[in-house]
C-alpha cells in the first residue's frame, strides 16, 4: 500500500466541481484532506492518496487531465 501526498491548486473554473469525491469513486484510492484553503474563486488542498501505486498514478493523471494543477509533497510515506 502506497501513500502519496499532493497539493492541488484549483483554477477558478474548477473550484465548484467535486473533484476529490470523484477520485474516490473513479479509482481505488482513499483520499484524505490534510490541509485546505478554498475560497469563492480559487483554492488549494493538500491531499493524501492511499492505494496501489498504479491506481494512485491514474488518479493523479486524471486530476491533471481535468485541468487541476498537481504538485507532489511526499512520496511513498509509511506512517
Amino acid at each position: 500500500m502506497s501513500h502519496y501526498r499532493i497539493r492541488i491548486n484549483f483554477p477558478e473554473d474548477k473550484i465548484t466541481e467535486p473533484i476529490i469525491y470523484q477520485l474516490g469513486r473513479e479509482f481505488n484510492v482513499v483520499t484524505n484532506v490534510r490541509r485546505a484553503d478554498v475560497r469563492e474563486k480559487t483554492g488549494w488542498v493538500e491531499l493524501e492518496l492511499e492505494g496501489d501505486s498504479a491506481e494512485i498514478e491514474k488518479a493523479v493523471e486524471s486530476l491533471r487531465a481535468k485541468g487541476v494543477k498537481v504538485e507532489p509533497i511526499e512520496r511513498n510515506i509509511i506512517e
Side-chain angles (χ1 to χ4, degrees):
M1 193 67 64
S2 296
H3 293 253
Y4 190 63
R5 293 180 98 181
I6 56 175
R7 180 181 173 114
I8 302 169
N9 293 297
F10 293 91
E12 185 174 347
D13 64 328
K14 301 293 180 190
I15 198 71
T16 59
E17 293 185 25
I19 290 175
I20 295 172
Y21 168 77
Q22 291 170 347
L23 278 185
R25 303 265 312 168
E26 295 174 9
F27 302 96
N28 190 21
V29 296
V30 175
T31 59
N32 185 14
V33 175
R34 302 300 296 256
R35 295 177 56 197
D37 183 11
V38 179
R39 303 187 185 230
E40 186 176 339
K41 294 185 177 184
T42 63
W44 59 264
V45 174
E46 289 185 3
L47 183 68
E48 184 174 78
L49 300 174
E50 180 180 336
D52 181 72
S53 295
E55 281 295 299
I56 291 172
E57 288 179 25
K58 288 179 192 175
V60 170
E61 285 306 313
S62 172
L63 287 170
R64 290 184 173 126
K66 291 176 180 174
V68 177
K69 184 177 178 185
V70 180
E71 301 171 359
I73 298 174
E74 300 172 16
R75 203 165 236 219
N76 296 324
I77 301 300
I78 299 171
E79 296 179 352

